[in-house]
Amino acid sequence: MKVLVIGSGAREHALCRALSLDPDVSALHCAPGNAGIAEVAELHTVDALDGAAVAELAASLEAELVVVGPEAPLVAGVADALRARGIPVFGPSAEAAQLEGSKAFAKDVMAAAGVPTARAYVCTSEAEIDEALDAFGAPYVVKDDGLAAGKGVVVTSDLAAAREHALACGRVVIEEYLDGPEVSLFAVTDGETVIPLQPAQDFKRAYDGDEGPNTGGMGAYSPLPWADPKLVDEVLASVLQPTVDELRRRGTPFAGLLYAGLAITSRGVRVIEFNARFGDPETQVVLARLKTPLAGVLLAAATGRLDSLAPLRWSDGAAVTVVIASHNYPDTPRTGDAITGLDEVAEQDGPRAYVLHAGTKRDVASGDVVSAGGRVLSVTATGSDLAKARERVYQAVTRIGLDGSHHRSDIAARAAADAAADAAAEAAVEAGPGAASA
């Protein structure tokens, strides 16, 4: 199978890495890609938002599957242009991608489908904004209605900051705050059949202890040892399948990757948001644990054959990813800094730890890989459990040099510690009374 991946971030590098390991993939292409993706795929120049150009590239490469990674091309209708040319594509239509492109649209779909979510107001005027903020009170949750590259949401107890963000958005969704831990759950769907993947948890705040501003994501881990074993089945029944069914009922079937951002609240599971594509950095850890070859799964979704797919196979171990960000991220990041240590990670830590590139490029003059964005690298590692995966990922992180960079040191720390404590307690119970004295 010849596969073309559209995008240039760590999500696309994770997809390309998984596809490159699939024996059914005979040729792998990526447009526009980055310095890391170039090691596993042939890169091409294309305007990812230009559906006609993407379709022409796919046709020229005789691609038998196109995987659209980022949200902006999906909302721009790139998948529609590919389908019009008869090229199988993994990614929803522009109309269905409004599930991510418009928070208001998503709320309307959830209401019609009976999907549990936060109460919300859609505001377009200053008076409506003030009324909504007053109605919910602190902490305030303010969301830009449109795409904002993962940074359009402000959660704050500062009324002035919430109001300032709301006024800057134009059309804005203001909703009640949802308590409890957050979970990311992906599902592959062909518009009818829905197959959930394994859940993950990401870390949105820039600094340790969930301090600092929201970002596109500073790290993630999977599995979630603290989560209810029935969580995935519950979310499939109450969120994912009803949403897919509602979109099909409306005549806008959703085929691709449906991402549900969830809050496990004191009142049950609630949807925070939907995305219409693989999330970043959760994709890095979810695909690290997937044992089923990826290309066949995506092609089955693109061609309406998910109902005949064998059950997915997963590693029993764990995966952790840590994002290394540029100086000043998430504000205007500094770029052009040389990155060192990439070869050392490959030589000393691979294949159990590896680096996925996000904002990188190769400097033509020096030949160095340099920073080219805010989130620069996703260092990812696998292990028998979260503690081992954490140990490996942070060992690999120490080998990376990037002037002025920063990363969180607490990704999966609490979950790993809790899992270790639970395992110790379980072992003590199994050993029985008197084991310690013996």
Side-chain angles (χ1 to χ4, degrees):
M1 189 191 311
K2 298 176 182 177
V3 182
L4 169 63
V5 176
I6 302 300
S8 61
R11 163 186 47 227
E12 287 74 38
H13 194 175
L15 288 165
C16 285
R17 181 181 183 274
L19 290 165
S20 73
L21 298 173
D22 188 331
D24 287 336
V25 175
S26 57
L28 181 59
H29 304 270
C30 186
N34 61 40
I37 294 173
E39 297 178 7
V40 295
E42 182 179 347
L43 301 191
H44 303 269
T45 300
V46 76
D47 179 354
L49 299 178
D50 186 337
V54 172
E56 188 59 38
L57 174 62
S60 70
L61 297 172
E62 299 180 339
E64 294 157 280
L65 173 66
V66 178
V67 181
V68 182
E71 60 273 26
L74 292 168
V75 173
V78 167
D80 302 271
L82 288 158
R83 289 192 178 95
R85 292 284 293 268
I87 301 170
V89 54
F90 182 80
S93 66
E95 214 168 347
Q98 285 302 304
L99 202 61
E100 177 173 3
S102 169
K103 306 291 189 302
F105 176 81
K107 287 291 186 183
D108 184 63
V109 170
M110 283 188 273
V115 170
T117 187
R119 294 180 296 121
Y121 292 102
V122 180
C123 306
T124 56
S125 70
E126 186 173 352
E128 289 175 343
I129 287 169
D130 288 338
E131 183 180 349
L133 292 171
D134 182 62
F136 287 129
Y140 305 99
V141 181
V142 184
K143 299 180 177 182
D144 192 326
D145 180 53
L147 295 179
K151 291 176 282 187
V153 179
V154 165
V155 181
T156 179
S157 294
D158 185 334
L159 176 59
R163 192 171 186 275
E164 180 183 8
H165 181 67
L167 291 171
C169 289
R171 194 172 194 231
V172 65
V173 174
I174 297 174
E175 61 185 40
E176 66 175 327
Y177 176 77
L178 295 175
D179 63 329
E182 296 184 11
V183 173
S184 299
L185 184 61
F186 301 158
V188 175
T189 178
D190 57 11
E192 293 192 23
T193 302
V194 182
I195 298 179
L197 306 186
Q198 289 289 297
Q201 186 173 62
D202 76 332
F203 294 72
K204 290 294 188 189
R205 298 285 185 172
Y207 309 122
D208 284 5
D210 288 329
E211 297 291 332
N214 265 355
T215 70
M218 294 299 292
Y221 70 92
S222 178
L224 311 181
W226 50 267
D228 188 327
K230 297 180 289 186
L231 175 65
V232 172
D233 289 340
E234 178 188 343
V235 175
L236 174 62
S238 65
V239 174
L240 299 171
Q241 191 70 57
T243 299
V244 170
D245 291 344
E246 172 61 19
L247 287 167
R248 188 176 68 252
R249 186 192 67 78
R250 293 178 176 219
T252 57
F254 188 106
L257 196 288
L258 179 58
Y259 165 131
L262 308 165
I264 313 302
T265 77
S266 55
R267 294 171 292 147
V269 174
R270 297 289 186 272
V271 174
I272 300 170
E273 64 176 356
F274 283 125
N275 289 339
R277 39 72 193 182
F278 280 102
D280 183 347
E282 300 97 321
T283 300
Q284 288 85 304
V285 292
V286 172
L287 292 186
R289 297 185 57 227
L290 179 65
K291 296 176 69 174
T292 300
L294 182 61
V297 177
L298 304 187
L299 184 63
T303 54
R305 295 184 290 106
L306 272 183
D307 60 346
S308 62
L309 195 71
L312 300 182
R313 295 179 293 113
W314 296 92
S315 162
D316 291 332
V320 178
T321 194
V322 175
V323 171
I324 297 177
S326 290
H327 173 75
N328 205 41
Y329 177 79
D331 291 327
T332 304
R334 190 175 76 204
T335 60
D337 291 307
I339 302 166
T340 61
L342 299 174
D343 291 340
E344 285 82 354
V345 173
E347 292 166 4
Q348 299 185 46
D349 303 301
R352 295 175 298 186
Y354 49 89
V355 179
L356 299 169
H357 292 231
T360 70
K361 68 178 182 179
R362 191 168 292 278
D363 184 86
V364 177
S366 67
D368 294 334
V369 176
V370 301
S371 61
R375 291 186 296 169
V376 181
L377 304 170
S378 284
V379 184
T380 304
T382 56
S384 55
D385 55 26
L386 283 175
K388 191 63 179 177
R390 286 194 82 248
E391 177 187 331
R392 287 174 177 162
V393 78
Y394 280 108
Q395 176 61 51
V397 166
T398 64
R399 305 190 200 281
I400 301 295
L402 176 61
D403 186 50
S405 67
H406 64 95
H407 65 272
R408 286 185 58 159
S409 64
D410 62 347
I411 304 300
R414 180 176 176 182
D418 289 349
D422 290 344
E426 187 175 326
V429 170
E430 290 178 353
S437 60

